[in-house]
PDB file of all heavy atoms in Angstrom:
ATOM      1  N   ALA C 685      31.676 -39.726  39.172  1.00 98.00           N
ATOM      2  CA  ALA C 685      30.300 -39.202  39.042  1.00 98.00           C
ATOM      3  C   ALA C 685      29.836 -38.237  40.076  1.00 98.00           C
ATOM      4  O   ALA C 685      29.157 -37.305  39.707  1.00 98.00           O
ATOM      5  CB  ALA C 685      29.319 -40.418  39.053  1.00 98.00           C
ATOM      6  N   ASN C 686      30.376 -38.337  41.224  1.00 98.00           N
ATOM      7  CA  ASN C 686      30.098 -37.387  42.335  1.00 98.00           C
ATOM      8  C   ASN C 686      30.611 -36.029  42.118  1.00 98.00           C
ATOM      9  O   ASN C 686      30.309 -35.082  42.936  1.00 98.00           O
ATOM     10  CB  ASN C 686      30.345 -37.934  43.740  1.00 98.00           C
ATOM     11  CG  ASN C 686      31.875 -38.129  43.813  1.00 98.00           C
ATOM     12  OD1 ASN C 686      32.697 -37.830  43.064  1.00 98.00           O
ATOM     13  ND2 ASN C 686      32.266 -38.680  45.092  1.00 98.00           N
ATOM     14  N   GLN C 687      31.467 -35.847  41.004  1.00 98.00           N
ATOM     15  CA  GLN C 687      31.995 -34.477  40.767  1.00 98.00           C
ATOM     16  C   GLN C 687      31.497 -33.933  39.372  1.00 98.00           C
ATOM     17  O   GLN C 687      31.936 -32.859  39.016  1.00 98.00           O
ATOM     18  CB  GLN C 687      33.527 -34.560  40.737  1.00 98.00           C
ATOM     19  CG  GLN C 687      34.197 -34.816  42.183  1.00 98.00           C
ATOM     20  CD  GLN C 687      35.622 -35.001  42.233  1.00 98.00           C
ATOM     21  OE1 GLN C 687      36.282 -35.963  41.733  1.00 98.00           O
ATOM     22  NE2 GLN C 687      36.262 -33.879  42.612  1.00 98.00           N
ATOM     23  N   TRP C 688      30.716 -34.780  38.815  1.00 98.00           N
ATOM     24  CA  TRP C 688      30.158 -34.246  37.471  1.00 98.00           C
ATOM     25  C   TRP C 688      29.550 -32.866  37.554  1.00 98.00           C
ATOM     26  O   TRP C 688      29.762 -31.958  36.732  1.00 98.00           O
ATOM     27  CB  TRP C 688      29.152 -35.244  36.825  1.00 98.00           C
ATOM     28  CG  TRP C 688      29.750 -36.616  36.383  1.00 98.00           C
ATOM     29  CD1 TRP C 688      30.985 -36.761  36.031  1.00 98.00           C
ATOM     30  CD2 TRP C 688      29.011 -37.711  36.068  1.00 98.00           C
ATOM     31  NE1 TRP C 688      31.205 -38.019  35.630  1.00 98.00           N
ATOM     32  CE2 TRP C 688      29.935 -38.602  35.571  1.00 98.00           C
ATOM     33  CE3 TRP C 688      27.609 -38.165  36.211  1.00 98.00           C
ATOM     34  CZ2 TRP C 688      29.585 -39.935  35.269  1.00 98.00           C
ATOM     35  CZ3 TRP C 688      27.318 -39.362  35.853  1.00 98.00           C
ATOM     36  CH2 TRP C 688      28.231 -40.273  35.356  1.00 98.00           C
ATOM     37  N   GLU C 689      28.690 -32.631  38.517  1.00 98.00           N
ATOM     38  CA  GLU C 689      27.958 -31.327  38.640  1.00 98.00           C
ATOM     39  C   GLU C 689      28.880 -30.200  38.644  1.00 98.00           C
ATOM     40  O   GLU C 689      28.794 -29.304  37.941  1.00 98.00           O
ATOM     41  CB  GLU C 689      27.001 -31.420  39.819  1.00 98.00           C
ATOM     42  CG  GLU C 689      26.221 -30.083  40.039  1.00 98.00           C
ATOM     43  CD  GLU C 689      25.311 -30.131  41.284  1.00 98.00           C
ATOM     44  OE1 GLU C 689      24.209 -30.581  41.118  1.00 98.00           O
ATOM     45  OE2 GLU C 689      25.865 -29.614  42.227  1.00 98.00           O
ATOM     46  N   GLN C 690      29.868 -30.347  39.509  1.00 98.00           N
ATOM     47  CA  GLN C 690      30.837 -29.194  39.660  1.00 98.00           C
ATOM     48  C   GLN C 690      31.549 -28.986  38.342  1.00 98.00           C
ATOM     49  O   GLN C 690      31.754 -27.868  37.956  1.00 98.00           O
ATOM     50  CB  GLN C 690      31.832 -29.583  40.834  1.00 98.00           C
ATOM     51  CG  GLN C 690      32.959 -28.580  40.959  1.00 98.00           C
ATOM     52  CD  GLN C 690      33.890 -28.957  42.047  1.00 98.00           C
ATOM     53  OE1 GLN C 690      33.696 -28.528  43.221  1.00 98.00           O
ATOM     54  NE2 GLN C 690      34.947 -29.541  41.830  1.00 98.00           N
ATOM     55  N   GLU C 691      31.992 -30.041  37.632  1.00 98.00           N
ATOM     56  CA  GLU C 691      32.709 -29.821  36.476  1.00 98.00           C
ATOM     57  C   GLU C 691      31.871 -29.300  35.313  1.00 98.00           C
ATOM     58  O   GLU C 691      32.363 -28.456  34.459  1.00 98.00           O
ATOM     59  CB  GLU C 691      33.425 -31.146  36.070  1.00 98.00           C
ATOM     60  CG  GLU C 691      34.387 -31.742  37.032  1.00 98.00           C
ATOM     61  CD  GLU C 691      35.303 -30.611  37.683  1.00 98.00           C
ATOM     62  OE1 GLU C 691      36.034 -30.019  36.866  1.00 98.00           O
ATOM     63  OE2 GLU C 691      35.273 -30.536  38.924  1.00 98.00           O
ATOM     64  N   ILE C 692      30.660 -29.653  35.279  1.00 98.00           N
ATOM     65  CA  ILE C 692      29.671 -29.154  34.300  1.00 98.00           C
ATOM     66  C   ILE C 692      29.507 -27.642  34.509  1.00 98.00           C
ATOM     67  O   ILE C 692      29.541 -26.802  33.562  1.00 98.00           O
ATOM     68  CB  ILE C 692      28.406 -29.917  34.221  1.00 98.00           C
ATOM     69  CG1 ILE C 692      28.693 -31.262  33.598  1.00 98.00           C
ATOM     70  CG2 ILE C 692      27.333 -29.071  33.457  1.00 98.00           C
ATOM     71  CD1 ILE C 692      27.439 -32.236  33.785  1.00 98.00           C
ATOM     72  N   LEU C 693      29.421 -27.171  35.759  1.00 98.00           N
ATOM     73  CA  LEU C 693      29.333 -25.771  36.016  1.00 98.00           C
ATOM     74  C   LEU C 693      30.567 -25.024  35.693  1.00 98.00           C
ATOM     75  O   LEU C 693      30.421 -23.965  35.160  1.00 98.00           O
ATOM     76  CB  LEU C 693      29.043 -25.540  37.584  1.00 98.00           C
ATOM     77  CG  LEU C 693      27.610 -26.090  37.945  1.00 98.00           C
ATOM     78  CD1 LEU C 693      27.588 -25.954  39.485  1.00 98.00           C
ATOM     79  CD2 LEU C 693      26.606 -25.163  37.364  1.00 98.00           C
ATOM     80  N   LYS C 694      31.740 -25.638  35.798  1.00 98.00           N
ATOM     81  CA  LYS C 694      33.005 -24.982  35.340  1.00 98.00           C
ATOM     82  C   LYS C 694      32.981 -24.804  33.814  1.00 98.00           C
ATOM     83  O   LYS C 694      33.467 -23.841  33.260  1.00 98.00           O
ATOM     84  CB  LYS C 694      34.206 -25.892  35.801  1.00 98.00           C
ATOM     85  CG  LYS C 694      34.541 -25.829  37.226  1.00 98.00           C
ATOM     86  CD  LYS C 694      35.730 -26.720  37.515  1.00 98.00           C
ATOM     87  CE  LYS C 694      36.006 -26.887  39.061  1.00 98.00           C
ATOM     88  NZ  LYS C 694      37.115 -27.841  39.275  1.00 98.00           N
ATOM     89  N   ILE C 695      32.482 -25.848  33.198  1.00 98.00           N
ATOM     90  CA  ILE C 695      32.511 -25.862  31.683  1.00 98.00           C
ATOM     91  C   ILE C 695      31.486 -24.730  31.244  1.00 98.00           C
ATOM     92  O   ILE C 695      31.829 -23.945  30.338  1.00 98.00           O
ATOM     93  CB  ILE C 695      31.917 -27.173  31.113  1.00 98.00           C
ATOM     94  CG1 ILE C 695      33.062 -28.254  31.344  1.00 98.00           C
ATOM     95  CG2 ILE C 695      31.654 -27.085  29.579  1.00 98.00           C
ATOM     96  CD1 ILE C 695      32.650 -29.672  31.065  1.00 98.00           C
ATOM     97  N   LYS C 696      30.382 -24.626  31.896  1.00 98.00           N
ATOM     98  CA  LYS C 696      29.422 -23.630  31.468  1.00 98.00           C
ATOM     99  C   LYS C 696      30.015 -22.236  31.837  1.00 98.00           C
ATOM    100  O   LYS C 696      29.784 -21.313  30.994  1.00 98.00           O
ATOM    101  CB  LYS C 696      28.072 -23.771  32.370  1.00 98.00           C
ATOM    102  CG  LYS C 696      27.043 -22.787  31.986  1.00 98.00           C
ATOM    103  CD  LYS C 696      25.744 -23.164  32.650  1.00 98.00           C
ATOM    104  CE  LYS C 696      24.652 -22.098  32.291  1.00 98.00           C
ATOM    105  NZ  LYS C 696      23.346 -22.416  32.899  1.00 98.00           N
ATOM    106  N   ALA C 697      30.720 -22.041  32.932  1.00 98.00           N
ATOM    107  CA  ALA C 697      31.372 -20.783  33.243  1.00 98.00           C
ATOM    108  C   ALA C 697      32.370 -20.397  32.207  1.00 98.00           C
ATOM    109  O   ALA C 697      32.749 -19.188  32.108  1.00 98.00           O
ATOM    110  CB  ALA C 697      32.022 -20.865  34.729  1.00 98.00           C
ATOM    111  N   GLY C 698      32.904 -21.376  31.516  1.00 98.00           N
ATOM    112  CA  GLY C 698      33.842 -21.089  30.486  1.00 98.00           C
ATOM    113  C   GLY C 698      33.204 -20.534  29.141  1.00 98.00           C
ATOM    114  O   GLY C 698      33.962 -20.351  28.172  1.00 98.00           O
ATOM    115  N   GLY C 699      31.854 -20.435  29.180  1.00 98.00           N
ATOM    116  CA  GLY C 699      31.266 -20.003  27.979  1.00 98.00           C
ATOM    117  C   GLY C 699      30.797 -21.071  27.081  1.00 98.00           C
ATOM    118  O   GLY C 699      30.185 -20.771  25.980  1.00 98.00           O
ATOM    119  N   ILE C 700      30.877 -22.303  27.431  1.00 98.00           N
ATOM    120  CA  ILE C 700      30.445 -23.532  26.647  1.00 98.00           C
ATOM    121  C   ILE C 700      29.024 -23.646  26.837  1.00 98.00           C
ATOM    122  O   ILE C 700      28.424 -23.417  27.848  1.00 98.00           O
ATOM    123  CB  ILE C 700      31.212 -24.739  27.012  1.00 98.00           C
ATOM    124  CG1 ILE C 700      32.778 -24.556  26.872  1.00 98.00           C
ATOM    125  CG2 ILE C 700      30.718 -25.938  26.246  1.00 98.00           C
ATOM    126  CD1 ILE C 700      33.317 -24.473  25.534  1.00 98.00           C
ATOM    127  N   ASN C 701      28.288 -23.916  25.758  1.00 98.00           N
ATOM    128  CA  ASN C 701      26.895 -24.181  25.827  1.00 98.00           C
ATOM    129  C   ASN C 701      26.415 -25.523  25.362  1.00 98.00           C
ATOM    130  O   ASN C 701      25.211 -25.839  25.466  1.00 98.00           O
ATOM    131  CB  ASN C 701      26.033 -23.067  25.180  1.00 98.00           C
ATOM    132  CG  ASN C 701      26.572 -22.751  23.794  1.00 98.00           C
ATOM    133  OD1 ASN C 701      26.816 -23.644  23.007  1.00 98.00           O
ATOM    134  ND2 ASN C 701      26.652 -21.441  23.491  1.00 98.00           N
ATOM    135  N   VAL C 702      27.394 -26.351  24.862  1.00 98.00           N
ATOM    136  CA  VAL C 702      26.968 -27.714  24.370  1.00 98.00           C
ATOM    137  C   VAL C 702      28.087 -28.683  24.941  1.00 98.00           C
ATOM    138  O   VAL C 702      29.243 -28.393  24.726  1.00 98.00           O
ATOM    139  CB  VAL C 702      26.885 -27.906  22.834  1.00 98.00           C
ATOM    140  CG1 VAL C 702      26.425 -29.252  22.509  1.00 98.00           C
ATOM    141  CG2 VAL C 702      25.977 -26.862  22.335  1.00 98.00           C
ATOM    142  N   VAL C 703      27.744 -29.752  25.608  1.00 98.00           N
ATOM    143  CA  VAL C 703      28.666 -30.740  26.086  1.00 98.00           C
ATOM    144  C   VAL C 703      28.563 -31.887  25.040  1.00 98.00           C
ATOM    145  O   VAL C 703      27.521 -32.414  24.762  1.00 98.00           O
ATOM    146  CB  VAL C 703      28.276 -31.312  27.495  1.00 98.00           C
ATOM    147  CG1 VAL C 703      29.167 -32.424  27.904  1.00 98.00           C
ATOM    148  CG2 VAL C 703      28.533 -30.171  28.464  1.00 98.00           C
ATOM    149  N   ALA C 704      29.699 -32.301  24.565  1.00 98.00           N
ATOM    150  CA  ALA C 704      29.883 -33.424  23.715  1.00 98.00           C
ATOM    151  C   ALA C 704      30.521 -34.529  24.476  1.00 98.00           C
ATOM    152  O   ALA C 704      31.462 -34.311  25.258  1.00 98.00           O
ATOM    153  CB  ALA C 704      30.655 -33.154  22.414  1.00 98.00           C
ATOM    154  N   THR C 705      29.988 -35.858  24.367  1.00 98.00           N
ATOM    155  CA  THR C 705      30.591 -36.908  25.155  1.00 98.00           C
ATOM    156  C   THR C 705      30.520 -38.218  24.444  1.00 98.00           C
ATOM    157  O   THR C 705      29.556 -38.439  23.575  1.00 98.00           O
ATOM    158  CB  THR C 705      29.851 -36.987  26.438  1.00 98.00           C
ATOM    159  OG1 THR C 705      30.731 -37.845  27.380  1.00 98.00           O
ATOM    160  CG2 THR C 705      28.506 -37.629  26.319  1.00 98.00           C
ATOM    161  N   TYR C 706      31.540 -38.977  24.421  1.00 98.00           N
ATOM    162  CA  TYR C 706      31.633 -40.297  23.845  1.00 98.00           C
ATOM    163  C   TYR C 706      31.039 -41.288  24.673  1.00 98.00           C
ATOM    164  O   TYR C 706      31.014 -41.311  25.890  1.00 98.00           O
ATOM    165  CB  TYR C 706      33.116 -40.753  23.572  1.00 98.00           C
ATOM    166  CG  TYR C 706      33.727 -40.468  22.353  1.00 98.00           C
ATOM    167  CD1 TYR C 706      34.968 -39.950  22.211  1.00 98.00           C
ATOM    168  CD2 TYR C 706      32.974 -40.814  21.213  1.00 98.00           C
ATOM    169  CE1 TYR C 706      35.636 -39.659  20.939  1.00 98.00           C
ATOM    170  CE2 TYR C 706      33.560 -40.579  19.865  1.00 98.00           C
ATOM    171  CZ  TYR C 706      34.874 -40.025  19.772  1.00 98.00           C
ATOM    172  OH  TYR C 706      35.417 -39.830  18.499  1.00 98.00           O
ATOM    173  N   VAL C 707      30.353 -42.277  24.087  1.00 98.00           N
ATOM    174  CA  VAL C 707      29.929 -43.499  24.724  1.00 98.00           C
ATOM    175  C   VAL C 707      30.833 -44.575  24.229  1.00 98.00           C
ATOM    176  O   VAL C 707      30.817 -45.025  23.069  1.00 98.00           O
ATOM    177  CB  VAL C 707      28.479 -43.823  24.298  1.00 98.00           C
ATOM    178  CG1 VAL C 707      27.958 -45.160  25.132  1.00 98.00           C
ATOM    179  CG2 VAL C 707      27.463 -42.734  24.620  1.00 98.00           C
ATOM    180  N   PHE C 708      31.781 -44.969  25.170  1.00 98.00           N
ATOM    181  CA  PHE C 708      32.729 -46.008  24.802  1.00 98.00           C
ATOM    182  C   PHE C 708      32.141 -47.422  25.042  1.00 98.00           C
ATOM    183  O   PHE C 708      31.929 -47.788  26.197  1.00 98.00           O
ATOM    184  CB  PHE C 708      34.024 -45.879  25.604  1.00 98.00           C
ATOM    185  CG  PHE C 708      34.703 -44.588  25.294  1.00 98.00           C
ATOM    186  CD1 PHE C 708      34.928 -43.612  26.324  1.00 98.00           C
ATOM    187  CD2 PHE C 708      35.194 -44.337  24.004  1.00 98.00           C
ATOM    188  CE1 PHE C 708      35.721 -42.398  26.069  1.00 98.00           C
ATOM    189  CE2 PHE C 708      36.012 -43.196  23.755  1.00 98.00           C
ATOM    190  CZ  PHE C 708      36.251 -42.322  24.716  1.00 98.00           C
ATOM    191  N   TRP C 709      31.979 -48.100  23.971  1.00 98.00           N
ATOM    192  CA  TRP C 709      31.330 -49.463  23.979  1.00 98.00           C
ATOM    193  C   TRP C 709      31.986 -50.398  25.064  1.00 98.00           C
ATOM    194  O   TRP C 709      31.353 -51.062  25.758  1.00 98.00           O
ATOM    195  CB  TRP C 709      31.300 -49.968  22.595  1.00 98.00           C
ATOM    196  CG  TRP C 709      30.645 -51.283  22.395  1.00 98.00           C
ATOM    197  CD1 TRP C 709      29.834 -52.057  23.323  1.00 98.00           C
ATOM    198  CD2 TRP C 709      30.415 -51.962  21.157  1.00 98.00           C
ATOM    199  NE1 TRP C 709      29.258 -53.117  22.754  1.00 98.00           N
ATOM    200  CE2 TRP C 709      29.528 -53.135  21.358  1.00 98.00           C
ATOM    201  CE3 TRP C 709      30.828 -51.631  19.818  1.00 98.00           C
ATOM    202  CZ2 TRP C 709      29.265 -54.060  20.363  1.00 98.00           C
ATOM    203  CZ3 TRP C 709      30.373 -52.573  18.861  1.00 98.00           C
ATOM    204  CH2 TRP C 709      29.722 -53.747  18.963  1.00 98.00           C
ATOM    205  N   ASN C 710      33.339 -50.382  24.949  1.00 98.00           N
ATOM    206  CA  ASN C 710      34.076 -51.363  25.842  1.00 98.00           C
ATOM    207  C   ASN C 710      34.028 -51.044  27.259  1.00 98.00           C
ATOM    208  O   ASN C 710      34.387 -51.849  28.139  1.00 98.00           O
ATOM    209  CB  ASN C 710      35.578 -51.493  25.300  1.00 98.00           C
ATOM    210  CG  ASN C 710      36.289 -50.221  25.289  1.00 98.00           C
ATOM    211  OD1 ASN C 710      35.791 -49.152  25.739  1.00 98.00           O
ATOM    212  ND2 ASN C 710      37.544 -50.329  24.767  1.00 98.00           N
ATOM    213  N   LEU C 711      33.529 -49.810  27.721  1.00 98.00           N
ATOM    214  CA  LEU C 711      33.288 -49.550  29.167  1.00 98.00           C
ATOM    215  C   LEU C 711      32.022 -50.039  29.565  1.00 98.00           C
ATOM    216  O   LEU C 711      31.857 -50.235  30.830  1.00 98.00           O
ATOM    217  CB  LEU C 711      33.446 -48.003  29.366  1.00 98.00           C
ATOM    218  CG  LEU C 711      34.863 -47.452  29.743  1.00 98.00           C
ATOM    219  CD1 LEU C 711      35.798 -47.508  28.538  1.00 98.00           C
ATOM    220  CD2 LEU C 711      34.688 -45.986  30.126  1.00 98.00           C
ATOM    221  N   HIS C 712      31.032 -50.223  28.684  1.00 98.00           N
ATOM    222  CA  HIS C 712      29.647 -50.624  29.022  1.00 98.00           C
ATOM    223  C   HIS C 712      29.414 -52.058  28.836  1.00 98.00           C
ATOM    224  O   HIS C 712      28.543 -52.573  29.479  1.00 98.00           O
ATOM    225  CB  HIS C 712      28.715 -49.677  28.356  1.00 98.00           C
ATOM    226  CG  HIS C 712      28.822 -48.345  28.681  1.00 98.00           C
ATOM    227  ND1 HIS C 712      28.280 -47.835  29.885  1.00 98.00           N
ATOM    228  CD2 HIS C 712      29.302 -47.220  28.028  1.00 98.00           C
ATOM    229  CE1 HIS C 712      28.537 -46.461  29.960  1.00 98.00           C
ATOM    230  NE2 HIS C 712      29.104 -46.125  28.716  1.00 98.00           N
ATOM    231  N   GLU C 713      30.194 -52.707  27.913  1.00 98.00           N
ATOM    232  CA  GLU C 713      29.996 -54.149  27.791  1.00 98.00           C
ATOM    233  C   GLU C 713      31.314 -54.840  27.726  1.00 98.00           C
ATOM    234  O   GLU C 713      31.768 -55.406  26.666  1.00 98.00           O
ATOM    235  CB  GLU C 713      29.208 -54.360  26.477  1.00 98.00           C
ATOM    236  CG  GLU C 713      28.595 -55.786  26.436  1.00 98.00           C
ATOM    237  CD  GLU C 713      27.963 -56.074  24.970  1.00 98.00           C
ATOM    238  OE1 GLU C 713      28.087 -55.300  24.008  1.00 98.00           O
ATOM    239  OE2 GLU C 713      27.373 -57.222  24.907  1.00 98.00           O
ATOM    240  N   GLU C 714      31.967 -54.778  28.802  1.00 97.00           N
ATOM    241  CA  GLU C 714      33.311 -55.523  28.961  1.00 97.00           C
ATOM    242  C   GLU C 714      33.293 -56.947  28.615  1.00 97.00           C
ATOM    243  O   GLU C 714      34.046 -57.612  27.833  1.00 97.00           O
ATOM    244  CB  GLU C 714      34.025 -55.371  30.279  1.00 97.00           C
ATOM    245  CG  GLU C 714      34.475 -53.901  30.597  1.00 97.00           C
ATOM    246  CD  GLU C 714      35.169 -53.851  31.876  1.00 97.00           C
ATOM    247  OE1 GLU C 714      35.509 -54.915  32.419  1.00 97.00           O
ATOM    248  OE2 GLU C 714      35.369 -52.672  32.411  1.00 97.00           O
ATOM    249  N   ILE C 715      32.166 -57.570  29.174  1.00 97.00           N
ATOM    250  CA  ILE C 715      31.825 -59.041  28.865  1.00 97.00           C
ATOM    251  C   ILE C 715      30.614 -59.119  28.083  1.00 97.00           C
ATOM    252  O   ILE C 715      29.593 -58.336  28.300  1.00 97.00           O
ATOM    253  CB  ILE C 715      31.711 -59.762  30.236  1.00 97.00           C
ATOM    254  CG1 ILE C 715      32.832 -59.626  31.147  1.00 97.00           C
ATOM    255  CG2 ILE C 715      31.241 -61.232  29.967  1.00 97.00           C
ATOM    256  CD1 ILE C 715      32.722 -60.226  32.471  1.00 97.00           C
ATOM    257  N   GLU C 716      30.699 -59.865  27.073  1.00 98.00           N
ATOM    258  CA  GLU C 716      29.534 -59.859  26.006  1.00 98.00           C
ATOM    259  C   GLU C 716      28.232 -60.102  26.799  1.00 98.00           C
ATOM    260  O   GLU C 716      28.148 -61.061  27.716  1.00 98.00           O
ATOM    261  CB  GLU C 716      29.730 -60.981  25.012  1.00 98.00           C
ATOM    262  CG  GLU C 716      28.742 -61.001  23.903  1.00 98.00           C
ATOM    263  CD  GLU C 716      28.903 -62.036  22.902  1.00 98.00           C
ATOM    264  OE1 GLU C 716      30.010 -62.816  23.012  1.00 98.00           O
ATOM    265  OE2 GLU C 716      28.080 -62.300  22.059  1.00 98.00           O
ATOM    266  N   GLY C 717      27.253 -59.297  26.537  1.00 98.00           N
ATOM    267  CA  GLY C 717      25.911 -59.490  27.127  1.00 98.00           C
ATOM    268  C   GLY C 717      25.734 -58.932  28.484  1.00 98.00           C
ATOM    269  O   GLY C 717      24.629 -58.876  29.034  1.00 98.00           O
ATOM    270  N   GLU C 718      26.837 -58.476  29.183  1.00 98.00           N
ATOM    271  CA  GLU C 718      26.699 -57.875  30.555  1.00 98.00           C
ATOM    272  C   GLU C 718      26.972 -56.359  30.393  1.00 98.00           C
ATOM    273  O   GLU C 718      28.093 -55.893  30.175  1.00 98.00           O
ATOM    274  CB  GLU C 718      27.828 -58.551  31.446  1.00 98.00           C
ATOM    275  CG  GLU C 718      27.516 -60.012  31.599  1.00 98.00           C
ATOM    276  CD  GLU C 718      28.519 -60.675  32.547  1.00 98.00           C
ATOM    277  OE1 GLU C 718      29.231 -59.792  33.352  1.00 98.00           O
ATOM    278  OE2 GLU C 718      28.698 -61.841  32.695  1.00 98.00           O
ATOM    279  N   TRP C 719      25.835 -55.636  30.619  1.00 98.00           N
ATOM    280  CA  TRP C 719      25.945 -54.141  30.411  1.00 98.00           C
ATOM    281  C   TRP C 719      25.985 -53.528  31.801  1.00 98.00           C
ATOM    282  O   TRP C 719      25.401 -53.910  32.751  1.00 98.00           O
ATOM    283  CB  TRP C 719      24.630 -53.663  29.691  1.00 98.00           C
ATOM    284  CG  TRP C 719      24.557 -54.249  28.313  1.00 98.00           C
ATOM    285  CD1 TRP C 719      24.005 -55.394  27.785  1.00 98.00           C
ATOM    286  CD2 TRP C 719      25.177 -53.591  27.114  1.00 98.00           C
ATOM    287  NE1 TRP C 719      24.193 -55.447  26.471  1.00 98.00           N
ATOM    288  CE2 TRP C 719      24.862 -54.437  26.023  1.00 98.00           C
ATOM    289  CE3 TRP C 719      25.898 -52.406  26.889  1.00 98.00           C
ATOM    290  CZ2 TRP C 719      25.334 -54.106  24.754  1.00 98.00           C
ATOM    291  CZ3 TRP C 719      26.290 -52.079  25.607  1.00 98.00           C
ATOM    292  CH2 TRP C 719      26.030 -52.984  24.550  1.00 98.00           C
ATOM    293  N   ASN C 720      26.857 -52.396  31.788  1.00 98.00           N
ATOM    294  CA  ASN C 720      27.035 -51.614  32.900  1.00 98.00           C
ATOM    295  C   ASN C 720      26.830 -50.156  32.680  1.00 98.00           C
ATOM    296  O   ASN C 720      27.601 -49.510  31.943  1.00 98.00           O
ATOM    297  CB  ASN C 720      28.465 -51.903  33.436  1.00 98.00           C
ATOM    298  CG  ASN C 720      28.833 -51.227  34.755  1.00 98.00           C
ATOM    299  OD1 ASN C 720      27.956 -50.410  35.304  1.00 98.00           O
ATOM    300  ND2 ASN C 720      29.973 -51.455  35.382  1.00 98.00           N
TER     301      ASN C 720
END
Side-chain angles (χ1 to χ4, degrees):
N686 61 2
Q687 294 178 285
W688 285 343
E689 179 181 275
Q690 174 176 276
E691 302 313 305
I692 289 168
L693 289 172
K694 289 178 187 175
I695 292 170
K696 183 174 182 177
I700 301 293
N701 46 43
V702 183
V703 173
T705 195
Y706 263 135
V707 181
F708 294 118
W709 188 356
N710 55 4
L711 268 67
H712 295 288
E713 195 185 11
E714 287 183 15
I715 299 175
E716 183 181 357
E718 297 183 12
W719 294 90
N720 184 354

